[in-house]
Amino acid sequence: MSVSEGQEGKELYEFGPFRVDVRRELLFRSGEPVALTTKTFRILTVLIRHGNEIVTKDDLMKTVWPDTFVGEDNLSSHIFMLRKALGESAQDHRYIVTVPGKGYRLAESVRTITEPEVDILAASHSRVEVQVEQTKPWGWISLAVVLLLSVAAGAYHFFLPRPSRLTGKDTVVLADFVNSTGDSVFDGTLRQGMAVQLAQSPFLSLISEQRMGKTLHLMGRAADAPLTPETAREICERTGSAAVLEGSIARLGSEYVVGLRAEQCETGDVLDVEQVQAARKEDVLNALSQIAVKFRTRVGESLSTIEKHSTPLAEATTGSLDALKAYSEGVKVGFSSSLQAGVPYLRQAVAIDPDFATAHGQLGIFYEDLGEPGLATTSTTRAYELRARTSDRERLFITTLYQKQVTGNLEQARQTCEQWVHTYPRDAAPHALLSGFIYQGLGEYEKSIEEARNAISLDNGFAPAYVNLASSYIFLNRPADAERAIQQAAERELDIPELMVMRYHIAFLRNDVAAMDREAARAAGNAGIEDWMSHVQALVLACSGQQRLARKMSERAIVLAQQAGQKDREATYEAGAAVWEALFGNVAAARQKSMTALALSNSRDVEYAAAFALGLTSDSARALALANDLQNRFPEDTSVRYNYLPALRGVLALQRGDAASAIEQSLVPYPHELAITHSTAVAFFGTFYPAVVRGEAYLGSHKGADAAAEYRRILSLPGLLLGDPVGAVARLQLAKAYAMQGGYIQS
């Protein structure tokens, strides 16, 4: 039996927690408005009027689209949107039941509401509508009273801020967008676009992709598993997040309807439902931007921060859906599989849209982490040139990368990160960047540790923070603390290949050969880390005087990098080997390896290592040319200014026989002298070279005590020295310094 259709102008219905006002086309859930398009609302109306009766698909289409022919796919899209609005899941059709081969019916009992003489409906938080039927002489008095109360209530809600639905401590999980359009260009793309938009908010905090992948692993699923609403809810619960966001896109005739629904994880209460129609496919990104702004407003973010940080998506990323899709795939594959696998997608994104700044920036990050500084510089520089075409957060990110990787000005990078922290206090990324090469390259390891802890407190699944924490403890010669940091990462099941090298170094500091062998064995066959481990092993072997085995292991590292097509990495290993050959007096080998490295790359670290090796082997002309090139190309670079050039100028002065100038040229202010360099961060050599030069100059000047002081200081910091063969040189020269004084080597 259908619900009476009499007195259509007054139709008010209730079912479950919902109230439906047909005349106003309004749907409320527990007093809160639920957004529906006109056609979707009419479908709901038809189902309500038929109560529990089956309504055929044909009848629905004829009623809702009386003058237009539409296909069943259009009807299905609207049914899908209606179910989403009612809060149904794919498995639980609580309110709308599909009757196979027939149509649909409403599962809930419907109750008709009788309107009182005066009925007030709050259509929204800012509008009050009043209905009056004057049946008594004092009706106008009642109306006046009601209007007065309504105005008072409106003023109360206007001047008293609404309580925030989310707080500044909540995190949010973003699910995949459900794409019912049949167009694959939207798959993954809209989720990435929404992530970029919401990341502009200093108020909101999205669960990072790394943490998402790790949580999926704990759930027994692949890191790239689809983030269905059900999966997202489980991630939300496991991570202690406050809300899950579910997006959707559907066709509405020739138009598109983009939706976003936010629910509290614990209660399932709806925080917000947003829908925006896009007339064309090209307008979908703009619709996504509109939804993001509406959502941020509804969940409690201040209007001032929304106005300040809400760059439209097409301006923040790209206006090309195809470019954004390629970028989305690159990020997803890069984090779930390997950085190397993500590179082709990012290159495709910038090929489609050469002005896609964020894609250039991400490509720069991937190349830097893959040990390809030349390619990283090219991509990061292009991103920096296009930084006006990004969101405020991405602009800070790209600027930091440019200052850290390209100009090398770590003081400027520190200042940019501090501005980033101030603007986005909930973002772990700037703390992680500060804890890495920025503070480590400035020699401020305690601050590095502090910032790493800050990053972990904001996101305990942020893997780079654990790497930086452990490495700074190693640099401070605190292996036990480094082990605890590594253990923390292991307890969170973070798979970080770099930690194998750190465990190897910890074992080296403890002279635990068995543990060193275990870590080397673990790295075998591990793409992206095996070559690095082989290079580290080569350094340790050279430091212990096993040059034949060291050369063999170094060649293995070079071949592995070559097979992976990583020319910069290959060149760095060649240059590192050239340095130790020069330190040990193997002139021909040092020169040959220097020239091989330079033929592969002219990157900052390769040029420095080759120049140092050539300087030690008396090829002063080439060493000077390389030093001048470094000074001209990297005038702001912290490592170049405070380590590379002082060491090279000192070596060249030694070759001229000018010991006094060598000492003066190689002096480095504290704490820069104890800072790691680019070459240390990449290939673990180069930190103490100015001090070694000074030691040589003091020996040449027969100042044994001064020379001994330099070498003792080097050897007193094994966590910074690690396996650098310069350690062996320092021990040998310390013996000479003591002999010069008529003394002995202290234990």
Side-chain angles (χ1 to χ4, degrees):
M1 188 71 181
S2 65
V3 176
S4 173
E5 295 182 29
Q7 296 183 329
E8 185 174 329
K10 300 178 181 178
E11 284 184 272
L12 289 171
Y13 303 113
E14 283 187 349
F15 65 96
F18 297 97
R19 172 176 284 200
V20 182
D21 183 342
V22 175
R23 184 175 69 83
R24 296 176 178 80
E25 292 190 358
L26 295 171
L27 172 65
F28 297 89
R29 176 172 184 159
S30 302
E32 289 289 324
V34 179
L36 287 178
T37 64
T38 298
K39 297 295 184 184
T40 307
F41 187 90
R42 289 179 183 172
I43 291 174
L44 175 61
T45 302
V46 174
L47 293 173
I48 285 174
R49 287 172 176 167
H50 284 78
N52 299 119
E53 295 178 355
I54 297 172
V55 184
T56 67
K57 294 180 180 180
D58 189 53
D59 285 342
L60 271 172
M61 288 187 287
K62 286 179 180 178
T63 305
V64 178
W65 292 276
D67 304 316
T68 307
F69 173 78
V70 296
E72 284 191 14
D73 59 337
N74 205 333
L75 174 62
S76 298
S77 296
H78 283 81
I79 291 290
F80 169 82
M81 288 187 289
L82 179 56
R83 282 175 166 154
K84 290 285 289 182
L86 297 178
E88 291 187 350
S89 67
Q91 292 76 27
D92 179 21
H93 292 168
R94 176 181 175 185
Y95 301 111
I96 301 174
V97 176
T98 301
V99 183
K102 294 183 179 181
Y104 304 93
R105 69 177 177 83
L106 199 67
E108 287 278 335
S109 298
V110 178
R111 186 170 68 88
T112 304
I113 301 173
T114 303
E115 290 189 62
E117 293 180 358
V118 179
D119 186 16
I120 301 174
L121 286 176
S124 70
H125 289 281
S126 61
R127 184 179 68 188
V128 178
E129 297 189 18
V130 182
Q131 289 190 53
V132 178
E133 286 188 345
Q134 187 178 357
T135 58
K136 297 182 180 179
W138 40 267
W140 287 108
I141 299 175
S142 300
L143 174 60
V145 172
V146 170
L147 286 174
L148 182 61
L149 292 174
S150 299
V151 170
Y156 175 82
H157 287 290
F158 181 83
F159 289 107
L160 185 66
R162 291 170 50 206
S164 299
R165 299 300 182 88
L166 295 176
T167 71
K169 296 182 179 180
D170 293 327
T171 53
V172 176
V173 176
L174 181 59
D176 287 335
F177 272 61
V178 177
N179 175 17
S180 60
T181 66
D183 191 338
S184 62
V185 76
F186 297 119
D187 293 338
T189 308
L190 299 189
R191 181 184 182 276
Q192 183 63 48
M194 182 58 71
V196 170
Q197 287 301 88
L198 297 181
Q200 296 190 55
S201 168
F203 174 76
L204 295 171
S205 180
L206 293 178
I207 292 294
S208 66
E209 296 301 314
Q210 296 94 327
R211 191 175 180 190
M212 196 89 75
K214 180 48 58 182
T215 307
L216 284 167
H217 174 72
L218 295 175
M219 292 162 57
R221 304 182 189 181
D224 59 350
L227 294 172
T228 63
E230 291 73 22
T231 301
R233 288 190 192 98
E234 186 173 348
I235 292 174
C236 193
E237 292 171 0
R238 285 174 175 263
T239 57
S241 297
V244 61
L245 309 184
E246 304 168 16
S248 63
I249 183 168
R251 292 292 297 269
L252 184 61
S254 61
E255 298 185 349
Y256 296 84
V257 178
V258 185
L260 186 72
R261 179 185 180 87
E263 291 184 359
Q264 289 184 334
C265 294
E266 290 186 359
T267 64
D269 290 344
V270 177
L271 292 172
D272 187 32
V273 176
E274 302 291 349
Q275 283 187 337
V276 174
Q277 289 184 221
R280 304 173 305 153
K281 184 177 180 179
E282 294 76 11
D283 298 329
V284 167
L285 294 182
N286 183 50
L288 208 62
S289 299
Q290 293 178 45
I291 285 178
V293 170
K294 290 181 178 180
F295 169 72
R296 290 168 63 183
T297 303
R298 288 280 291 168
V299 295
E301 185 173 350
S302 70
L303 291 176
S304 61
T305 61
I306 294 173
E307 291 173 359
K308 188 175 181 181
H309 306 291
S310 57
T311 306
L313 186 57
E315 297 176 26
T317 55
T318 174
S320 167
L321 278 166
D322 291 322
L324 187 58
K325 179 174 178 58
Y327 171 79
S328 304
E329 287 294 324
V331 171
K332 183 176 182 179
V333 171
F335 286 123
S336 64
S337 178
S338 70
L339 300 183
Q340 192 72 49
V343 166
Y345 293 101
L346 295 177
R347 293 181 64 177
Q348 181 185 1
V350 298
I352 295 170
D353 181 0
D355 294 335
F356 192 170
T358 302
H360 283 291
Q362 193 65 56
L363 197 52
I365 297 169
F366 279 20
Y367 280 139
E368 181 74 13
D369 289 346
L370 287 169
E372 293 291 323
L375 294 173
T377 295
T378 300
S379 294
T380 303
T381 300
R382 184 58 180 150
Y384 185 74
E385 293 168 350
L386 296 166
R387 65 190 182 281
R389 296 174 53 87
T390 60
S391 66
D392 293 337
R393 181 191 178 278
E394 286 299 313
R395 193 173 302 117
L396 288 165
F397 193 14
I398 288 171
T399 301
T400 301
L401 293 177
Y402 180 75
Q403 292 164 341
K404 171 177 168 286
Q405 297 174 1
V406 180
T407 68
N409 191 325
L410 298 184
E411 184 57 37
Q412 285 188 353
R414 180 188 65 77
Q415 292 172 9
T416 302
C417 273
E418 287 176 351
Q419 180 187 353
W420 186 353
V421 168
H422 177 75
T423 308
Y424 293 94
R426 305 193 61 199
D427 196 339
H431 295 285
L433 284 166
L434 281 168
S435 71
F437 186 63
I438 293 176
Y439 272 136
Q440 292 173 352
L442 291 170
E444 300 189 40
Y445 302 109
E446 293 292 352
K447 289 184 178 179
S448 167
I449 290 169
E450 180 184 353
E451 289 298 339
R453 288 172 173 166
N454 287 338
I456 291 169
S457 69
L458 289 166
D459 183 354
N460 62 16
F462 201 57
Y466 293 94
V467 174
N468 297 338
L469 182 62
S471 60
S472 282
Y473 279 134
I474 289 173
F475 295 145
L476 289 174
N477 200 37
R478 293 163 60 179
D481 289 329
E483 275 187 323
R484 277 190 285 273
I486 293 171
Q487 181 60 32
Q488 288 174 13
E491 289 170 357
R492 291 172 174 81
E493 298 193 28
L494 297 175
D495 183 17
I496 310 172
E498 292 94 324
L499 295 183
M500 294 182 197
V501 173
M502 291 189 183
R503 286 193 292 264
Y504 181 91
H505 276 141
I506 290 171
F508 172 74
L509 291 173
R510 291 171 170 167
N511 198 28
D512 188 342
V513 177
M516 291 166 65
D517 291 341
R518 282 197 303 272
E519 296 306 325
R522 288 176 184 171
N526 193 321
I529 201 69
E530 184 178 11
D531 62 319
W532 203 23
M533 180 68 85
S534 298
H535 171 71
V536 171
Q537 288 179 277
L539 291 175
V540 169
L541 288 167
C543 187
S544 63
Q546 303 178 68
Q547 291 193 53
R548 184 181 63 80
L549 290 176
R551 292 188 184 107
K552 185 176 180 180
M553 190 61 70
S554 177
E555 190 60 33
R556 175 177 173 77
I558 291 166
V559 169
L560 287 169
Q562 189 179 61
Q563 291 173 346
Q566 296 176 319
K567 291 179 65 175
D568 272 306
R569 202 153 173 159
E570 178 187 355
T572 301
Y573 298 154
E574 287 276 13
V579 169
W580 93 56
E581 295 285 11
L583 287 169
F584 296 154
N586 302 319
V587 175
R591 290 179 176 176
Q592 181 268 321
K593 284 194 166 291
S594 294
M595 301 314 295
T596 300
L598 291 170
L600 289 167
S601 171
N602 70 337
S603 70
R604 168 180 41 210
D605 307 321
V606 169
E607 280 201 352
Y608 166 59
F612 193 79
L614 292 170
L616 288 176
T617 59
S618 301
D619 193 342
S620 299
R622 283 177 176 163
L624 178 60
L626 290 169
N628 289 338
D629 188 57
L630 285 170
Q631 184 175 15
N632 292 332
R633 288 170 58 204
F634 305 100
E636 301 178 45
D637 188 278
T638 301
S639 290
V640 172
R641 291 175 61 197
Y642 295 108
N643 189 291
Y644 293 2
L645 290 178
L648 293 176
R649 288 167 180 159
V651 165
L652 291 170
L654 281 177
Q655 296 303 319
R656 297 193 305 269
D658 190 346
S661 178
I663 293 169
E664 182 181 355
Q665 294 281 2
S666 60
L667 289 174
V668 177
Y670 181 86
H672 291 287
E673 179 147 43
L674 301 182
I676 66 167
T677 65
H678 289 287
S679 59
T680 312
V682 173
F684 300 108
F685 66 85
T687 296
F688 287 112
Y689 290 8
V692 169
V693 171
R694 287 198 303 276
E696 290 296 306
Y698 282 128
L699 281 178
S701 302
H702 302 285
K703 296 180 179 179
D706 291 330
E710 294 290 347
Y711 294 126
R712 280 200 305 269
R713 190 151 54 89
I714 293 171
L715 296 172
S716 70
L717 298 167
L720 281 172
L721 188 62
L722 295 176
D724 192 330
V726 81
V729 173
R731 289 184 179 86
L732 175 63
Q733 298 301 76
L734 179 61
K736 291 182 180 179
Y738 281 131
M740 187 176 291
Q741 301 173 72
Y744 56 92
I745 300 178
Q746 297 177 348
S747 59

